[in-house]
Amino acid sequence: MAILVTGGAGFIGSHTCVELLNAGYEIIVVDNLINSKPEVIQKIKQITQRDFKFYQADLLNRSELEAIFESNTIDAVIHFAGLKAVGESVEIPLRYYHNNVSGTIILCETMAHYNVKRMVFSSSATIYGDPQSVPIKEDFPLSTTNPYGSTKLMIENILQDLYLSDKEWSISLLRYFNPIGAHKSGLIGEDPKGIPNNLMPYIVRVASGKLETLSIFGNDYPTIDGTGVRDYIHVVDLSLGHLDALKKIMLTKGINSYNLGTGKGYSVLEVIRAFEISTGQKVNSKITHRRPGDIAECYADPSKAKIELGWTASRDLYEMCLDAWKFAKQQ
Ligand code: NAD
Ligand code: UD1
C-alpha cells in the first residue's frame, strides 16, 4: 500500500512523511520544490532509515502526474502541495488560485482516472474568518479575507461537490490551527525564505541574532494581555493527525472536516515568555500597530477529531519552542 504525499518536502509534509514511514507505510513524494529544499528528502530518509521514491514534479503538469500514477500503485493521497503566504496571495492572486485550485482539480481528475478516491486535504483555520466566538467548532460559518484563504475554502467546496457526485470518494478535510515546532532530531523544521511573516519563525530569527527586534502587532485586542491569541500546535502532533485521518478514510467513505488544534490559546506575549523560559534565549520585542486582517482570538474545539479520529495533541508550548529552537540553531 503506497500513500502519495504531495508537498512532502514542505514543513508539515516532511514531518508527516517521517511519521508515515515510522508507522510502516510505503510513501511516494511529489513536490516541485517551489518552497522547499531537495535536502529535506535526504533528511527524511536519514531520520527514518527508510527509502522512498521522490518525484520533483508540479501538480499543474498533468502528464507528469499521470506518469506517477501509471508507474505506482497508490492507495490514497495526502495533499499538502500549495502556496501559503497570505500577503503574497493578495499581490499575485491568480498564481495562488491557479496553483492551489487548478493543481487540486488536476490531482483529483488524475486520481479519479486511476480509481484512487481517498484523500486527506490540508485546509486551514483561516476559513473561519473572524469567528463570532471561541473555541471554534467545525460547523461555524466559513468566510475568508484573502486569496490564500479563498483557495482553501474553494477547494473544500470542490471536494464536497466531488463527493456528492461520486459517493465512492473518501475525503478528510483537516483544518490546521497554527503549526510550529520541529522534529526532535533538529534535522527538519520550518525555514521560510526571506523575512518570516509568522510569529515563531520570526522569534527564532531574533533569538539567533539574524533579525533585530520582533514587532508585536498590537496590544489593544480584547484578550488576556491585549496581544493576539492563537492555538499553536506542535507539527509532530499535527502530522500524527494525518495518520489517524488516513486510517479513517481507508475504512469508510464520505467527507468530513476536522479541527486540528490543541484547544488552548496563547497570546503573543505568552509565546515569547515560553520561548525565553524554555530556551534561555532573550527575544527583543517592541509593540507596534495591528497587522491588517489579523483577528483577536482563534483557537479550536478539537473534540470532533478526538471522538471520530481518536486524535489529540500532546506536546506543550515549551516543547514546541524548544524543538523550533533546536532546528533553527542548525540552520
Ligand atoms: P510548505 O510551503 O512548507 O509546503 C508546501 C509544499 O508544496 C512545498 O514543499 C512546495 O514546494 C510544494 N508545492 C507548492 N505548489 C506545488 C505544486 N503546484 N506542485 C508540487 N508541489 C507544490 O507549507 P506547509 O506549511 O508545509 O503547508 C502545507 C499545507 O498546509 C499547505 O497546503 C498549506 O496551505 C496548509 N496549511 C499550512 C499552515 C501553516 O501554518 N503552515 C496552516 C494551515 C494550512
Ligand atoms: C497566519 C496566516 C493564516 C494561517 C495561519 C496558520 C497571516 C496574515 N495569516 O495566521 O492565514 O492560516 O497563520 O498558519 O499570515 N505576530 C506578531 N508579530 C509577528 C508575527 C505575528 O505579533 O512578527 C502575531 C500576530 O498578530 C498573531 C500571532 O502573532 O496574533 C500569530 O501570527 P501568525 O504566526 O502570523 O499566524 P496567524 O496570524 O494566526
Side-chain angles (χ1 to χ4, degrees):
M1 181 167 95
I3 308 300
L4 181 72
V5 184
T6 76
F11 172 45
I12 307 167
S14 59
H15 289 80
T16 305
C17 287
V18 166
E19 298 308 325
L20 287 166
L21 291 164
N22 283 343
Y25 288 96
E26 188 191 329
I27 66 166
I28 296 157
V29 172
V30 53
D31 198 304
N32 64 1
L33 302 180
I34 189 86
N35 197 37
S36 49
K37 296 176 180 158
E39 304 89 87
V40 171
I41 300 299
Q42 272 320 111
K43 300 272 169 68
I44 298 169
K45 292 180 181 176
Q46 189 184 334
I47 293 168
T48 59
Q49 295 295 305
R50 296 260 330 262
D51 201 9
F52 57 88
K53 283 192 204 167
F54 169 60
Y55 295 92
Q56 184 174 348
D58 196 311
L59 292 189
L60 294 169
N61 188 330
R62 189 185 294 271
S63 56
E64 272 180 8
L65 197 59
E66 282 176 352
I68 296 169
F69 277 80
E70 190 63 48
S71 54
N72 294 282
T73 306
I74 294 165
D75 295 279
V77 176
I78 305 185
H79 177 33
F80 294 102
L83 297 172
K84 64 164 184 176
V86 173
E88 189 183 63
S89 80
V90 176
E91 284 156 28
I92 45 170
L94 298 182
R95 174 117 191 273
Y96 269 67
Y97 286 113
H98 188 46
N99 189 76
N100 294 4
V101 180
S102 309
T104 303
I105 292 173
I106 293 170
L107 174 64
C108 290
E109 285 172 344
T110 310
M111 289 173 67
H113 182 74
Y114 287 89
N115 203 29
V116 180
K117 296 185 177 178
R118 297 186 184 105
M119 177 188 275
V120 177
F121 171 63
S122 298
S123 188
S124 169
T126 192
I127 67 170
Y128 293 116
D130 193 352
Q132 278 163 4
S133 62
V134 279
I136 300 168
K137 290 172 97 69
E138 285 83 354
D139 59 3
F140 273 29
L142 304 176
S143 69
T144 59
T145 53
N146 57 71
Y148 163 71
S150 299
T151 68
K152 292 291 167 191
L153 188 49
M154 278 181 188
I155 295 169
E156 282 210 6
N157 289 333
I158 289 168
L159 295 175
Q160 292 278 358
D161 288 339
L162 179 60
Y163 172 70
L164 287 178
S165 74
D166 177 358
K167 301 270 173 30
E168 288 301 306
W169 280 85
S170 183
I171 300 169
S172 197
L173 309 169
L174 301 184
R175 296 174 180 164
Y176 311 156
F177 281 70
N178 289 56
I180 58 171
H183 190 260
K184 274 267 164 288
S185 62
L187 290 171
I188 54 171
E190 188 174 20
D191 187 18
K193 289 176 183 159
I195 296 178
N197 295 307
N198 300 112
L199 182 61
M200 186 53 75
Y202 209 108
I203 287 178
V204 297
R205 294 218 185 161
V206 172
S208 57
K210 290 181 182 154
L211 290 170
E212 215 162 283
T213 309
L214 169 76
S215 294
I216 298 170
F217 297 145
N219 66 348
D220 57 352
Y221 286 105
T223 61
I224 177 177
D225 56 23
T227 65
V229 167
R230 297 290 183 276
D231 187 337
Y232 298 94
I233 173 169
H234 196 296
V235 65
V236 172
D237 278 328
L238 185 71
S239 297
L240 290 168
H242 292 72
L243 273 70
D244 291 323
L246 183 63
K247 277 183 213 147
K248 171 151 179 156
I249 61 162
M250 297 313 283
L251 296 173
T252 55
K253 296 190 167 59
I255 180 161
N256 286 288
S257 54
Y258 298 102
N259 286 342
L260 296 189
T262 64
K264 215 174 149 17
Y266 287 100
S267 73
V268 176
L269 292 176
E270 286 174 324
V271 174
I272 296 171
R273 205 172 308 126
F275 185 89
E276 290 184 334
I277 292 168
S278 59
T279 65
Q281 300 295 313
K282 173 95 186 91
V283 180
N284 297 322
S285 64
K286 61 169 191 238
I287 307 287
T288 58
H289 48 77
R290 290 183 179 193
R291 180 170 65 180
D294 267 359
I295 57 175
E297 274 192 302
C298 174
Y299 57 91
D301 176 341
S303 54
K304 188 178 173 200
K306 183 174 183 184
I307 295 163
E308 295 188 16
L309 303 178
W311 173 87
T312 43
S314 64
R315 291 158 178 82
D316 67 14
L317 186 59
Y318 287 106
E319 193 170 348
M320 299 181 212
C321 293
L322 266 177
D323 292 341
W325 178 236
K326 184 172 185 188
F327 172 72
K329 277 191 295 187
Q330 299 188 21
Q331 300 314 296

